[in-house]
Amino acid sequence: MPLTDDQQPIERLSLADMAMRRLRDEIVRGRLAPDEVLTEIALAGRLGVGRGTVRTALFALEADELVVRAPYSNWRVPSLNAQVIWEIYTLREAMEGLAARILAERGEAQPKSLIAAAFARLAPAETGSVDDRVAADLGFHRAIVDATGHRHLIKRYNALSTKMEWLYRWSETHWPARFPLEADHRGLFEGVMHGSPDEAERAVRAHIAPSLAADLEGQHALVAASGAGAEGEFKKSDQA
């Protein structure tokens, strides 16, 4: 018999774990901006913990590529430029495309019921908060991957998920270009639920391409408005 919420084991977190989660949330929600320099002293004061605890948390976040470290210097939040956006989307496309193909090849009903349940949460989230939209949108995509039961794929997709949320929230704040959640995901839903392996994989690509284009356009406009140079901007020729 499954445990109820009040019967679930209490999650025991170390001070470093709590500091890591707090810093991850600060980065993902944009309160620590891309390229912002992070010092252990300042973060220790911000979090009310010691520098050693902060350092442990930063090393954990470095493994998730949410902070980068300059040798013999400070830490900083990674850049979020057009190249990074393109890399996040293309890696996501590859992983979700594989997941969609696996599900279509198997054709099993039970895993797909998880996807149907996640799809049903999209419409109610449309009029909700940004948190509601993010949870429903990324939750639907995660359901496609989780339904495969492919442990290595799920593990690597989870590692990418935080960066996907980081980009999602940043774009909502700086260049909002909202797509209606249910309508935008229906083609992907139908492709995964009823398409052949090739059709399911194409549905992933067809879904991701407009979002990638919108975010690249938004990032370009943000850079132009700020008067910043084109450093780090992605060029199609870079694919060659």
Side-chain angles (χ1 to χ4, degrees), residues 119 140 185-196 200 203:
F119 182 76
F140 173 70
H185 289 83
R186 181 164 295 281
L188 175 57
F189 175 70
E190 295 294 339
V192 171
M193 296 291 283
H194 307 298
S196 67

Side-chain angles (χ1 to χ4, degrees), residues 11-26 47 49 53-54 56-57 60-61:
E11 186 177 14
R12 297 182 179 180
L13 298 175
S14 69
L15 199 57
D17 288 332
M18 289 188 284
M20 179 192 67
R21 290 191 176 190
R22 169 76 180 277
L23 288 174
R24 175 187 285 132
D25 193 61
E26 296 275 282
L47 300 178
V49 298
T53 299
V54 168
T56 300
L61 291 172

Side-chain angles (χ1 to χ4, degrees), residues 91 95 150-161:
L91 184 55
M95 290 183 175
H150 191 305
R151 290 175 296 175
H152 288 288
L153 176 60
I154 292 169
K155 181 178 180 179
R156 282 151 183 79
Y157 188 81
N158 286 341
L160 181 65
S161 292

Side-chain angles (χ1 to χ4, degrees), residues 84-126:
V84 173
I85 291 170
W86 176 78
E87 290 179 3
I88 290 173
Y89 270 108
T90 51
L91 184 55
R92 175 183 179 181
E93 178 185 291
M95 290 183 175
E96 292 184 17
L98 173 60
R101 175 171 286 277
I102 289 172
L103 291 171
E105 287 173 346
R106 290 178 178 170
E108 298 172 357
Q110 185 174 358
K112 290 184 177 180
S113 66
L114 301 175
I115 300 171
F119 182 76
R121 289 191 283 270
L122 292 173
E126 182 63 46

